[in-house]
């Protein structure tokens, strides 16, 4: 069988922009009937066989494969990956075959959603969505004044799709220390945090498509601050204990 397009990602960063890329790559399968199902998921994934895919959607870090009566949700967790028209060693968690190709998902979480997606998801919280609502994000943030900035940017109910890279880069851009509390941020800084999260996410998307994302990192995994030339600190902060890269000189601590 000749496949009419090909995609293969070795390094997958499961943040919102990367899921948008996957959604775009999967478009040739939209409207196609699933001819085969494979994988080691314990869920009844075989029910997808013979069914037509209505659409592919994304919400934050969730990739949604929509059928008429149900949806398969893929969450890549920290180390998940996918292959389109390309196999890798190991059994996929879920594999879907079509007349025009196949897609495999590895080391991910698979869930079957029976309810209408509009009842399950707040689309206004998705930082990549046309329905993104910064006013709603600000309202949620103001209800959690004790929350740390590093935790806020990983809170999927507020910034769906934001991950550790986005967190570190946004806080560096707006010069806010990750241990700052939301309630102590000046109104201008709070607005800046919200707006810059959206802006950086689309920068991420553009750079990821061009395979130059890492070249544009200013703080994430870096050792020297490009502003003051001092050392970038690496610490495991917040409730999530995820890696934070920050400049203790340039990024002000609001507490």
């Amino acid at each position: 069988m000749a496949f009419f397009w090909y995609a293969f990602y070795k390094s997958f960063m499961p943040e919102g922009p990367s899921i948008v890329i996957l959604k775009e790559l999967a478009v040739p399968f939209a409207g196609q009937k699933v001819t085969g199902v494979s994988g080691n998921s314990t869920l009844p994934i075989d029910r997808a066989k013979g069914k037509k895919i209505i659409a592919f959607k994304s919400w934050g870090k969730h990739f949604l494969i929509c059928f008429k009566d149900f949806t398969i949700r893929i969450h890549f967790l920290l180390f998940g990956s996918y292959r389109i028209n390309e196999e890798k060693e190991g059994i996929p968690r879920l594999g879907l075959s079509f007349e025009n190709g196949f897609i495999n998902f590895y080391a991910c979480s698979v869930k079957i959603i029976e309810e209408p997606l509009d009842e399950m998801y707040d689309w206004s919280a998705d930082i990549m969505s046309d329905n993104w609502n910064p006013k709603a994000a600000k309202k949620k943030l103001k209800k959690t004044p004790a929350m740390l900035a590093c935790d806020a940017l990983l809170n999927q109910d507020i910034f769906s799709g934001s991950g550790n890279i986005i967190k570190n880069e946004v806080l560096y851009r707006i010069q806010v220390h990750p241990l700052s509390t939301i309630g102590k941020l000046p109104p201008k800084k709070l607005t800046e945090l919200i707006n810059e999260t959206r802006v950086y996410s689309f920068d991420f998307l553009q750079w990821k498509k061009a395979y130059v994302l890492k070249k544009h990192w200013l703080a994430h995994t870096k050792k020297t601050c490009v502003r003051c030339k001092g050392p970038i600190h690496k610490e495991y902060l917040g409730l999530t204990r995820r890696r934070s890269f920050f400049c203790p000189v340039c990024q002000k601590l609001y507490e």
Side-chain angles (χ1 to χ4, degrees):
M1 180 185 298
F3 301 128
F4 59 82
W5 102 107
Y6 171 91
F8 173 39
Y9 280 86
K10 289 184 177 179
S11 58
F12 184 59
M13 298 168 186
E15 301 192 25
S18 296
I19 304 302
V20 169
I21 291 174
L22 168 57
K23 181 175 64 175
E24 294 174 354
L25 290 171
V27 164
F29 294 142
Q32 300 297 310
K33 186 176 291 186
V34 176
T35 58
V37 179
S38 61
N40 58 15
S41 172
T42 58
L43 296 177
I45 55 178
D46 282 342
R47 66 186 289 188
K49 187 174 182 179
K51 301 289 182 21
K52 182 185 293 187
I53 291 182
I54 304 301
F56 293 105
K57 296 183 179 182
S58 65
W59 181 83
K61 300 178 182 181
H62 294 184
F63 179 60
L64 304 167
I65 307 170
C66 306
F67 297 89
K68 182 179 179 181
D69 300 317
F70 65 97
T71 299
I72 296 178
R73 188 209 75 180
I74 305 292
H75 191 308
F76 290 97
L77 307 174
L78 291 178
F79 303 107
S81 62
Y82 65 89
R83 301 290 187 272
I84 297 178
N85 299 335
E86 174 75 25
E87 294 182 347
K88 62 176 283 188
E89 186 176 351
I91 300 173
R93 183 77 72 233
L94 172 68
L96 299 176
S97 299
F98 309 85
E99 288 188 357
N100 60 337
F102 64 89
I103 182 169
N104 291 334
F105 302 95
Y106 301 87
C108 61
S109 168
V110 177
K111 181 179 179 180
I112 295 178
I113 300 174
E114 308 287 354
E115 298 84 358
L117 294 182
D118 287 345
E119 295 179 9
M120 300 293 295
Y121 289 106
D122 175 8
W123 303 107
S124 70
D126 184 352
I127 58 176
M128 304 301 297
S129 173
D130 291 339
N131 295 315
W132 161 252
N133 187 338
K135 292 183 179 178
K138 180 176 286 189
K139 185 176 180 180
K140 293 173 186 176
L141 288 168
K142 286 185 174 181
K143 289 181 179 179
T144 57
M147 184 182 289
L148 299 177
C150 60
D151 287 330
L153 284 168
L154 294 179
N155 188 314
Q156 299 303 294
D157 291 330
I158 303 173
F159 297 106
S160 176
S162 177
N164 214 42
I165 297 170
I166 293 174
K167 176 201 75 178
N168 289 325
E169 292 297 304
V170 166
L171 291 177
Y172 185 81
R173 279 188 173 191
I174 67 173
Q175 297 182 253
V176 169
H177 193 288
L179 291 179
S180 298
T181 54
I182 293 299
K184 293 298 182 180
L185 291 180
K188 184 177 179 180
K189 277 297 176 186
L190 184 62
T191 298
E192 197 175 354
L193 181 145
I194 295 168
N195 292 342
E196 197 59 46
T197 301
R198 170 81 164 180
V199 170
Y200 181 78
S201 297
F202 280 90
D203 287 343
F204 184 129
L205 177 64
Q206 178 184 344
W207 295 329
K208 180 75 172 176
K209 286 182 175 181
Y211 302 96
V212 295
L213 176 62
K214 291 184 179 181
K215 293 181 180 180
H216 290 274
W217 287 347
L218 299 178
H220 189 72
T221 73
K222 299 301 180 179
K223 295 183 178 180
T224 304
C225 175
V226 297
R227 284 190 291 251
C228 72
K229 309 305 178 183
I232 290 285
H233 285 205
K234 172 188 172 183
E235 296 183 27
Y236 295 83
L237 303 176
L239 295 174
T240 60
R241 309 305 294 175
R242 297 291 302 281
R243 292 186 304 169
S244 287
F245 295 89
F246 61 96
C247 175
V249 175
C250 294
Q251 292 176 248
K252 184 174 179 179
L253 178 59
Y254 298 89
E255 63 176 354

